[in-house]
Amino acid sequence: DSNPSNSYDFSYEVHPEYAAYFTAGAVSHSDISIATGSGTQTLYFPITQIQGYNDVTVSIVTTGQPTAGFSHANKIVYKNLGTAAASGTITYSKDPSVTVASNVVGLTSTPDGFTYSFINLAPFETRSFNFTINVPSIPVVNIDDVFTSSVSIAAPADVINMENNSFVNSQIVGA
């Protein structure tokens, strides 16, 4: 700030869903001004983790529109947003009109799609794997049909956010 007579107040808060896992020191700094020519001012907001927590998430990333008679790639992305290592199972449910294929080691085919078990997903680590969706030709499917698939991740005990443990993907069949 080029005007040293300006002052600022800074504060923060720990989101309520994380409050049981962290303690916060001084949560505000008041009347902070920056002396002319002093450069950057550093303020510290001490937050201490008091216990670990589990939070995993999963999603489907598509690489294009499904086309009648062709295959297209998809990716499952799963993340550990928690502070403790996580292990679990991913379950993918395909649209009944399609078939899926993958060469991922550990992937187990089911009549509805597949399952995949993972271990030791480190805190804040992201992993992914690819698979292929095989779309039947016309007249088995039609242009503008909607294919819906879903994926869920079996969360560790005491996960703090269950809302990000499943994902639904709908795509329109193209020509």
Side-chain angles (χ1 to χ4, degrees), residues 18 21-22 49 51-57 78-86 121-126 156-161 164-165:
Y18 298 102
Y21 307 99
F22 295 95
Q49 181 178 329
Q51 75 178 45
Y53 60 90
N54 293 309
D55 187 14
V56 290
T57 183
Y78 56 109
K79 302 176 186 181
N80 183 352
L81 303 177
T83 60
L121 185 62
F124 310 108
E125 180 182 4
T126 299
D158 71 339
V159 72
I160 64 169
N161 181 3
N164 60 7
N165 291 15

Side-chain angles (χ1 to χ4, degrees), residues 55-76:
D55 187 14
V56 290
T57 183
V58 66
S59 61
I60 302 169
V61 177
T62 60
T63 60
Q65 182 179 25
T67 303
F70 292 92
S71 299
H72 74 285
N74 284 259
K75 182 185 288 190
I76 299 287

